[in-house]
């Protein structure tokens, strides 16, 4: 084994140093407040993750407001009724009426008149945290079901009352749901859960965002959003910078596993938010949801 010439060693060392300093610096994580716009506190979560546990997870994640909805609505009401605990945790609860009493309702809500009646009853009752500000999350596994009688009535109701709608649907269903509103989607506060979980193209997302001024993209589970070590993929970064007022964040705690990784999910958002200008990061993390839902 031969010893390298000292000059070669020196050159090698210098090259390493230059590479180190020339490499793009890792942006600091976003440290401001987060608004979790897609949170479920479902029946099965309530035993494994009692109120104190879920609020502690929000607090340690810097989550200062949540859209609360659950199957059945009792979980939402539990969060909305825990006014002292949520105040101590520094969490504002924004209740939404969910359309599901049980798992069977996922597949038939769009044509079930008893769901419509339940929504009206819930809206009339409100919660200790204030009136319901939206309906959903609901799913449409077949976008054609957006034409169901109850789906149509609920979209019209949301539009008339200025309620937000949290919908897990494909891009075709966005057009169909918007067509059911009196404003034809021009005044409809539709929060698009996952912004196309099937991986609809960025070009199509952009097209729908331009067509409907209050359509808002929620980014949990969005395929293609991040690349590598959790950084934004280039075409998504471009879209977020182009439309900084149109996207929000969520945990989607649809199963208990999501509660177990709640802090990590929120840290994932903080990582890529840190790549953006502070003003843009503030909007996506908090401001867009706060403006849409009327929270200070
Ligand atoms: Zn969900």
């Amino acid at each position: 084994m031969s010893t390298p010439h000292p000059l070669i060693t020196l050159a090698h060392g210098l090259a390493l140093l230059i590479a180190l300093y020339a490499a793009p610096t890792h942006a600091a994580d976003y440290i401001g407040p987060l608004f979790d716009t897609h949170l479920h506190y479902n029946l099965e979560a309530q035993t494994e993750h009692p109120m104190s546990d879920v609020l502690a997870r929000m607090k340690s994640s810097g989550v200062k407001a949540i859209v609360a909805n659950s199957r059945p609505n009792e979980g939402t009401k539990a969060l909305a009724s825990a006014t002292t605990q949520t105040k101590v945790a520094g969490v504002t609860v924004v209740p939404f009426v969910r359309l599901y009493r049980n798992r069977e309702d996922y597949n038939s809500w769009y044509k079930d008149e008893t769901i419509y009646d339940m929504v009206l009853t819930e809206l009339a009752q409100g919660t200790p945290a204030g009136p319901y500000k939206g309906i959903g999350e609901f799913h449409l596994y077949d976008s054609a079901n957006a034409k169901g009688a109850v789906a149509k009535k609920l979209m019209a109701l949301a539009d008339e009352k200025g309620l937000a709608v949290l919908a897990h649907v494909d891009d075709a269903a966005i057009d169909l749901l918007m067509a059911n509103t009196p404003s034809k989607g021009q005044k409809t506060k539709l929060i698009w859960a996952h912004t196309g979980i099937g991986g609809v193209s960025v070009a199509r997302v952009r097209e729908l965002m331009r067509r409907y001024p209050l359509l808002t993209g929620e980014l949990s589970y969005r395929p293609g959003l991040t690349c590598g070590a959790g950084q934004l993929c280039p075409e998504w970064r471009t879209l977020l910078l182009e439309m900084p007022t149109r996207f929000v964040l969520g945990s989607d705690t649809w199963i208990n596993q999501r509660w177990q990784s709640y802090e990590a999910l929120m840290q994932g958002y903080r990582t890529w938010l840190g790549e953006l200008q502070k003003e843009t990061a503030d909007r996506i993390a908090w401001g867009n949801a706060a403006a849409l839902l009327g929270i200070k």
Side-chain angles (χ1 to χ4, degrees), residues 38 40 98 137 139 194 252 254:
H38 187 157
H40 306 291
R98 202 155 195 208
E137 180 192 24
H139 300 73
H194 321 300
D252 192 13
W254 67 288

Side-chain angles (χ1 to χ4, degrees), residues 258-274:
R258 297 285 283 186
W259 277 117
Q260 285 145 30
S261 52
Y262 191 88
E263 293 90 334
L265 288 165
M266 292 301 140
Q267 180 51 45
Y269 285 131
R270 291 187 181 282
T271 301
W272 64 251
L273 284 169

